């Protein structure tokens, strides 16, 4: 195994294609333990890549994804050959997750990190009623809706986009505040916020209109308040092929409609 190869740790999702790629690439380039690797090569789809990022956040490791999933918006094209050169030429993008603090109806406080978004949505057949405060100033006294979310630039092409939220360049110092099926105010389309903003959601009538919250895949039942801000300390680093950079994908996505 050469020195370049010993830098790589290959990890895969549970799909047959991803497992086959793991076996092929580790045989070809060598396999380092994750704790010793400089580069973690994630083989799967976007969901698996996000899980890999969560597992390696603030370790200094860089994650290079290759698509062995379905959509693979965050992934580089899968090719077995030339991997050492591709990674050496890759462009690094550092992202910061969101920090969520959710208080439940039982008074428990639950903290979690989200690379994509922190989302709230109604738990029952009745619409949620939510007050939105930004930097300690109430901006919306009452939002009647199915849900609402705060999305990072990295997450702006996921749930946020499906809810008709804006696509954000990865280096934009912004967060997207996007409602899901707003009823009142009916024409409110959300807001773009500074990535330094702290947003608080207070659930109105929580017993009658219960609301769940989730930071990516960490779900909190029966939340009564949720506070969200970008983490000032935690980071994750993604590597992209320069011929198909994240910002190019973001730009191209906005002209697909």
């Amino acid at each position: 195994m050469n020195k370049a190869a010993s830098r790589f740790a290959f990890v895969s999702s549970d799909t047959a294609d991803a497992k086959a790629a793991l076996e092929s690439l580790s045989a070809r380039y060598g396999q380092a333990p994750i704790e010793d690797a400089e580069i973690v090569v994630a083989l799967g789809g976007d969901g698996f890549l996000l899980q890999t990022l969560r597992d390696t956040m603030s370790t200094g490791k860089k994650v290079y994804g290759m698509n062995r999933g379905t959509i693979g918006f965050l992934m580089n094209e899968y090719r077995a050959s030339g991997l050492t050169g591709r990674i050496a030429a890759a462009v690094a993008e550092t992202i910061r997750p969101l920090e969520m603090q959710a208080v439940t109806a039982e008074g428990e406080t639950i903290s979690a990190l989200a690379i994509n978004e922190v989302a709230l949505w109604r738990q029952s057949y009745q619409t949620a009623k939510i007050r939105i405060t930004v930097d300690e100033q109430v901006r919306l006294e009452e939002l009647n809706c199915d849900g609402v979310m705060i999305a990072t630039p990295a997450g702006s092409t996921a749930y946020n986009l499906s809810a008709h939220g804006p696509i954000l360049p990865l280096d934009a110092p912004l967060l997207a505040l996007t409602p899901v099926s707003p009823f009142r105010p009916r024409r409110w389309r959300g807001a773009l916020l500074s990535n330094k903003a702290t947003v608080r959601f207070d659930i109105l009538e929580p017993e009658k209109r219960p609301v769940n919250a989730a930071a990516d895949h960490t779900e909190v039942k029966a939340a009564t308040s949720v506070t969200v801000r970008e983490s000032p300390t935690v980071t994750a680093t993604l590597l992209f092929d320069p011929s198909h950079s994240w910002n190019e994908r973001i730009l191209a996505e906005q002209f697909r409609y």
Side-chain angles (χ1 to χ4, degrees), residues 156-175:
S156 67
T157 57
Y159 186 19
N160 173 73
L161 180 58
S162 70
H164 308 291
I167 298 175
L168 303 177
L170 196 61
D171 57 359
L174 298 170
L175 301 173

Side-chain angles (χ1 to χ4, degrees), residues 125-191:
Y125 66 93
Q126 291 187 307
T127 59
K129 289 187 177 182
I130 301 172
R131 182 170 59 241
I132 300 176
T133 303
V134 179
D135 292 333
E136 299 186 350
Q137 182 173 351
V138 175
R139 292 293 182 178
L140 203 54
E141 285 286 356
E142 184 177 300
L143 172 65
N144 287 218
C145 59
D146 281 352
V148 65
M149 76 188 80
I150 290 282
T152 67
S156 67
T157 57
Y159 186 19
N160 173 73
L161 180 58
S162 70
H164 308 291
I167 298 175
L168 303 177
L170 196 61
D171 57 359
L174 298 170
L175 301 173
L177 173 60
T178 302
V180 179
S181 301
F183 180 62
R184 288 194 181 91
R186 190 179 298 276
R187 296 185 180 180
W188 188 65
R189 301 294 298 273

Side-chain angles (χ1 to χ4, degrees), residues 17 20 25 37 42 63 70 74 76-77 107 111 122 139 143 147-148 161 175 190 197 203 221-222 244 249 256:
D17 284 348
L25 292 172
V63 178
T70 304
L74 298 173
N76 299 293
E77 180 185 356
S111 301
R122 62 187 176 97
R139 292 293 182 178
L143 172 65
V148 65
L161 180 58
L175 301 173
I203 313 309
K221 300 284 189 182
H244 197 37
R249 296 179 212 191
R256 291 183 59 187

Side-chain angles (χ1 to χ4, degrees), residues 77-100:
E77 180 185 356
Y78 177 77
R79 293 198 308 272
S81 62
L83 182 59
T84 301
R86 288 176 70 187
I87 290 179
V91 177
E93 297 281 4
T94 298
I95 60 177
R96 292 185 180 275
L98 298 173
E99 295 179 345
M100 176 188 78

